[in-house]
């Protein structure tokens, strides 16, 4: 321990804030469990996955179609946004002239700041009718994936950009001195060196894709069903909570908290998987 | 040295906690003091219930507060069932119920404040001018899936339904004697405006929304049209007369016969003075 009082004060302050941050997560989980406990006790966990449908006012509580809806929308958008975002960062760092790179980066930052409801509104009045004219009805998994991709693209683009910037210049110069092509340097030296940063970006964008609510609510159709094609409407777990919470009572309300609990479990699984893939070195 | 320092800080911290606890617990107690002798009407009204009614009652409450500065009106939404339950248990002074009162709710005193109508809407360019009740049921249960089946163009029907728990859905299901599980929808929406935008953006869609919202949007250039139900044209006028079948009364309820502040508020909410507020919320004022 340092002999300076200010250091000790700072240490305790940091311990305090860290405790608060940790406690908030635990409190949220406890709250979710407590609110969903009544329905979990007299309905049982298994019925949330085996009931014929989701009609909570008729005491049917199947969450599986919404779980699939959430997963498909998330996987689809992450698969499209990740390569686009990383390539955008590569362009910005290694190919664009500085006169282009700076305004380009500002534009991406601006894109990150647009509220989700704006994307949703655009999707509702432009994208959905467009998809509807190709393949009715319009509100669909595809609309959700497109909107989500646009929304999470700046997240991965900016994080990837920052992690490429952190790659030591000596690596790049050394590789260039060996006569490697520019793309050769990027994929052989820069990517491996920036791996953990890129992975953090993927986790952040995935988290945002799972958690997004308003835009998804406006373009996905919100029909509770397991989608069989890209043009089928879906409902995500977040949209389910937002749609029904204001009017839910009793078991219906508790069932929505179970939706929240399932979402929380998905995020936890995501973080655990990322930890496992990177062998605990994501944030290193 | 370290001990001493820590102890000093701990003392300071404890004092701070004690102070904040005192502030937090102290203030509500003092603000709850009631019974202003100058004005007969003083105190706090807690109103809970139907989310359909909550915005209207909140507006009425604001105007009531400005007339009686010592009165505070607290409005919380949570559904008609909550309105009934809270009024019964005394958790709220007044409950809001956005439907006709049920048989087993006779123990409550109910006061109608306005009416709300629900009407089917189509895209303006849809050639279909009217649908019978049976046709609407067939469309919503997926027995008719193409507009050709009801005399329209050859195009698949996009059925727009409301999310579970919405009172508009309840009114719709009750009138057409449907269960929500029987409805085969392509789109499920939350509020009325989302329904209007969905139908206006899809010429093959059918939906149903609150008449007030639909009539306002239709007369302000949104591409929708209101369908008659049971041969009665959908308009706020036919709802006010009670002629429109797909409509419901909006009630406020109390556990016992109201008196004092509660009575004054209910009388005010039923008076002509709030008709402009009722129209602003796209509901229909009752005739006198």
């Amino acid at each position: 321990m340092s002999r300076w009082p200010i250091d000790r004060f700072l240490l305790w302050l940091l311990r305090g804030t860290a405790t608060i941050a940790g406690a908030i997560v635990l409190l949220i989980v406890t709250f979710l469990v407590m609110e969903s406990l009544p329905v979990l006790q007299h309905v049982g966990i298994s019925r949330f996955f085996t009931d014929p449908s989701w009609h909570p006012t008729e005491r049917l509580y199947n969450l599986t179609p919404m779980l699939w809806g959430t997963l498909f929308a998330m996987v689809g958008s992450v698969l499209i946004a990740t390569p686009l975002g990383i390539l955008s960062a590569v362009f910005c760092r290694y190919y664009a002239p500085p006169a282009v790179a700076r305004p380009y980066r500002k534009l991406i930052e601006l894109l990150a700041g647009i509220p989700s409801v704006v994307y949703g509104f655009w999707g509702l009045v432009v994208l959905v009718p467009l998809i509807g004219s190709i393949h009715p009805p319009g509100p669909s998994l595809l609309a959700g994936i497109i909107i989500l991709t646009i929304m999470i693209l700046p997240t991965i683009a900016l994080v990837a950009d920052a992690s490429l910037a952190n790659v030591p210049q000596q690596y790049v110069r050394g590789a260039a001195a060996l006569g490697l092509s520019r793309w050769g340097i990027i994929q052989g030296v820069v990517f491996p060196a920036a791996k953990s940063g890129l992975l953090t970006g993927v986790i952040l964008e995935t988290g945002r894709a799972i958690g997004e609510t308003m835009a998804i609510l406006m373009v996905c159709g919100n029909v509770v069903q397991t989608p069989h094609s890209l043009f089928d409407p879906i409902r995500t777990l977040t949209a389910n909570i937002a749609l029904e919470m204001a009017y839910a009572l009793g078991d219906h309300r508790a069932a929505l908290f179970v939706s929240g609990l399932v979402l929380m479990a998905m995020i936890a699984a995501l973080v655990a998987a990322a930890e496992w893939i990177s062998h605990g070195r994501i944030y290193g | 040295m370290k001990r001493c320092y820590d102890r000093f800080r701990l003392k300071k911290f404890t004092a701070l906690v004690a102070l904040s606890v005192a502030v937090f617990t102290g203030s509500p107690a003092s603000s709850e003091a009631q019974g202003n002798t100058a004005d007969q009407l003083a105190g706090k009204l807690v109103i809970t219930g139907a989310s359909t009614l909550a915005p209207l009652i909140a507006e009425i409450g604001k105007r009531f507060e400005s007339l009686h500065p010592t009165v505070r009106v607290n409005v919380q939404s949570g559904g008609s069932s909550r309105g009934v339950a809270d009024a019964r248990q005394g958790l709220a002074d007044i409950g809001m119920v956005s439907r006709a009162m049920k048989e087993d709710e006779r123990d409550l005193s109910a006061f109608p404040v306005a009416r709300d109508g629900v009407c089917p809407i189509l895209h303006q360019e849809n050639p279909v001018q009217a649908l019978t009740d049976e046709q609407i049921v067939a469309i919503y249960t997926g027995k008719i899936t193409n507009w050709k089946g009801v005399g329209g163009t050859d195009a698949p029907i996009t059925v727009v339904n409301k999310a579970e728990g919405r009172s508009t859905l309840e009114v719709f299901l009750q009138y057409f004697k449907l269960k929500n599980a029987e409805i085969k929808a392509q789109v499920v929406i939350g509020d009325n405006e989302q329904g209007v935008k969905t139908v206006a953006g899809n010429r093959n869609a059918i939906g149903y929304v609150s008449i007030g919202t639909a009539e306002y949007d239709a007369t302000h250039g949104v591409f929708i049209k209101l369908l008659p139900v049971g041969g009665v044209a959908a308009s706020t006028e036919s709802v006010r007369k009670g002629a429109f079948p797909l409509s419901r009364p909006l009630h406020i309820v109390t556990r016992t016969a109201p008196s004092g502040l509660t009575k004054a508020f209910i009388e005010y909410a039923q008076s002509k003075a709030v008709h402009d507020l009722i129209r602003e919320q796209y509901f229909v004022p009752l005739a006198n």
Side-chain angles (χ1 to χ4, degrees):
Chain A
M1 180 87 98
S2 163
R3 65 195 180 89
W4 302 104
I6 187 76
D7 276 353
R8 284 204 298 274
F9 176 71
L10 185 68
L11 180 71
W12 280 102
L13 192 75
L14 293 178
R15 279 178 184 166
T17 46
T19 313
I20 290 172
I24 286 174
V25 179
L26 290 179
L27 277 176
I28 289 175
V29 175
T30 319
F31 178 74
L32 280 175
V33 171
M34 268 169 54
E35 289 286 343
S36 45
L37 210 54
V39 73
L40 283 176
Q41 269 169 353
H42 68 253
V43 172
I45 296 179
S46 65
R47 277 193 49 200
F48 283 93
F49 302 98
T50 55
D51 268 359
S53 62
W54 167 264
H55 286 102
T57 48
E58 291 160 35
R59 311 211 161 280
L60 298 169
Y61 302 104
N62 193 355
L63 289 174
T64 351
M66 289 180 266
L67 202 59
W68 283 120
T70 308
L71 272 177
F72 285 144
M74 173 200 95
V75 170
S77 57
V78 168
L79 281 184
I80 303 173
T82 307
L84 281 181
I86 293 179
L87 289 179
S88 138
V90 167
F91 168 74
C92 205
R93 278 285 152 205
Y94 297 104
Y95 288 92
V100 176
R102 272 180 60 86
Y104 178 73
R105 199 170 296 134
K106 290 285 166 230
L107 277 179
I108 302 272
E109 279 167 16
L110 202 63
L111 198 62
I114 297 177
S116 66
V117 71
V118 175
Y119 288 108
F121 190 66
W122 175 79
L124 185 62
V125 299
V126 179
L127 189 63
V128 167
L130 193 71
I131 296 176
S133 65
I134 301 166
H135 193 298
S140 54
L141 175 59
L142 179 64
I145 290 179
I146 294 175
I147 289 286
L148 271 186
T149 304
I150 302 174
M151 292 190 61
I152 65 179
L153 189 58
T155 309
I156 178 74
L158 291 173
V159 176
D161 189 61
S163 59
L164 293 189
N166 279 339
V167 173
Q169 275 299 311
Q170 310 78 296
Y171 289 16
V172 180
R173 291 201 194 112
L178 290 173
L180 286 179
S181 68
R182 194 177 287 195
W183 177 245
I185 297 172
I186 289 164
Q187 61 126 11
V189 176
V190 173
F191 280 170
K195 203 172 65 187
S196 72
L198 297 179
L199 199 64
T200 311
V202 174
I203 294 167
L204 282 177
E205 64 165 349
T206 314
R208 192 162 182 210
I210 294 179
E212 176 46 40
T213 311
M214 270 323 287
I216 282 289
L217 177 76
M218 290 164 96
V219 302
C220 276
N222 304 317
V223 178
V224 184
Q225 60 177 7
T226 311
H228 296 290
S229 86
L230 276 175
F231 297 101
D232 279 349
I234 56 152
R235 186 186 294 187
T236 62
L237 287 165
T238 47
N240 189 41
I241 299 174
L243 263 181
E244 299 189 356
M245 190 48 101
Y247 301 86
L249 291 160
D251 276 359
H252 183 186
R253 186 168 176 277
L256 292 178
F257 276 101
V258 177
S259 306
L261 210 56
V262 172
L263 265 175
M264 196 77 205
M266 273 179 82
I267 304 272
L270 174 75
V271 172
E275 193 83 359
W276 182 68
I277 292 173
S278 66
H279 307 289
R281 283 183 275 109
I282 318 173
Y283 304 105
Chain B
M1 167 67 196
K2 180 184 168 246
R3 288 266 103 185
C4 167
Y5 174 77
D6 278 354
R7 197 172 298 150
F8 169 69
R9 251 187 352 93
L10 193 70
K11 248 183 204 162
K12 232 164 113 182
F13 180 70
T14 324
L16 199 72
V17 167
L19 188 72
S20 57
V21 165
V23 167
F24 272 99
T25 52
S27 56
S30 55
S31 74
E32 260 174 29
Q34 292 185 3
N36 191 326
T37 44
D39 191 346
Q40 282 296 307
L41 295 175
K44 201 169 135 190
L45 266 183
V46 176
I47 308 179
T48 66
S51 50
T52 321
L53 254 171
L56 171 65
I57 298 296
E59 285 301 316
I60 294 178
K62 265 185 217 156
R63 198 174 276 183
F64 193 72
E65 280 175 356
S66 66
L67 293 174
H68 308 280
T70 48
V71 175
R72 284 287 160 267
V73 181
N74 179 1
V75 180
Q76 297 161 12
S77 65
S80 297
S81 339
R82 180 177 169 196
V84 169
D86 283 1
R88 238 182 219 150
Q89 294 165 15
L91 291 175
D93 302 299
I94 300 177
M96 300 177 283
V97 182
S98 62
R99 52 172 164 73
M101 301 308 290
K102 291 177 183 167
E103 273 298 307
D104 59 357
E105 289 163 1
R106 286 282 166 82
D107 54 317
L108 299 166
S109 323
F111 307 88
V113 285
R115 284 188 78 85
D116 182 22
V118 177
C119 72
I121 52 171
L122 300 180
H123 192 275
Q124 210 168 45
E125 285 165 19
N126 194 320
V128 173
Q129 293 302 326
L131 292 168
T132 64
D133 288 2
E134 293 75 32
Q135 282 172 327
I136 291 181
V137 170
I139 288 173
Y140 267 87
T141 51
K143 292 195 185 77
I144 298 177
T145 56
N146 194 302
W147 283 109
K148 229 171 27 176
V150 290
T153 49
D154 182 10
I157 301 175
T158 303
V159 175
V160 182
N161 195 24
K162 285 261 186 163
E164 193 109 351
R166 302 265 163 173
S167 48
T168 339
L169 171 74
E170 257 174 61
V171 175
F172 184 84
L173 294 179
Q174 201 182 3
Y175 175 75
F176 288 108
K177 298 187 178 59
L178 287 169
K179 269 210 240 157
N180 199 20
E182 297 168 328
I183 290 184
K184 306 263 183 300
Q186 274 81 48
V187 184
V188 176
I189 49 136
D191 60 18
N192 288 317
E193 272 305 328
Q194 199 190 354
V196 169
K197 290 207 172 64
T198 305
V199 174
N202 182 340
R203 55 194 64 211
N204 299 317
I206 178 168
Y208 56 90
V209 293
S210 195
I211 283 190
T213 316
E215 197 175 66
Y216 177 86
D217 283 339
T219 52
H220 285 75
V222 180
F223 287 118
I224 55 161
K225 65 178 167 194
L226 289 66
L227 284 191
V229 175
V232 184
S235 68
T236 45
E237 189 54 31
S238 60
V239 172
R240 189 176 61 77
K241 286 183 186 144
F244 195 71
L246 207 57
S247 73
R248 55 178 170 175
L250 304 174
H251 284 108
I252 49 180
V253 301
T254 54
R255 183 171 47 167
T256 51
S259 60
L261 177 60
T262 314
K263 186 170 180 223
F265 182 82
I266 292 174
E267 277 169 3
Y268 184 68
Q270 288 187 307
S271 70
K272 269 205 168 122
V274 299
H275 279 192
D276 59 321
L277 294 178
I278 294 178
R279 284 196 197 90
E280 268 170 31
Q281 300 286 332
Y282 312 122
F283 295 132
V284 184
L286 302 167
N288 301 317

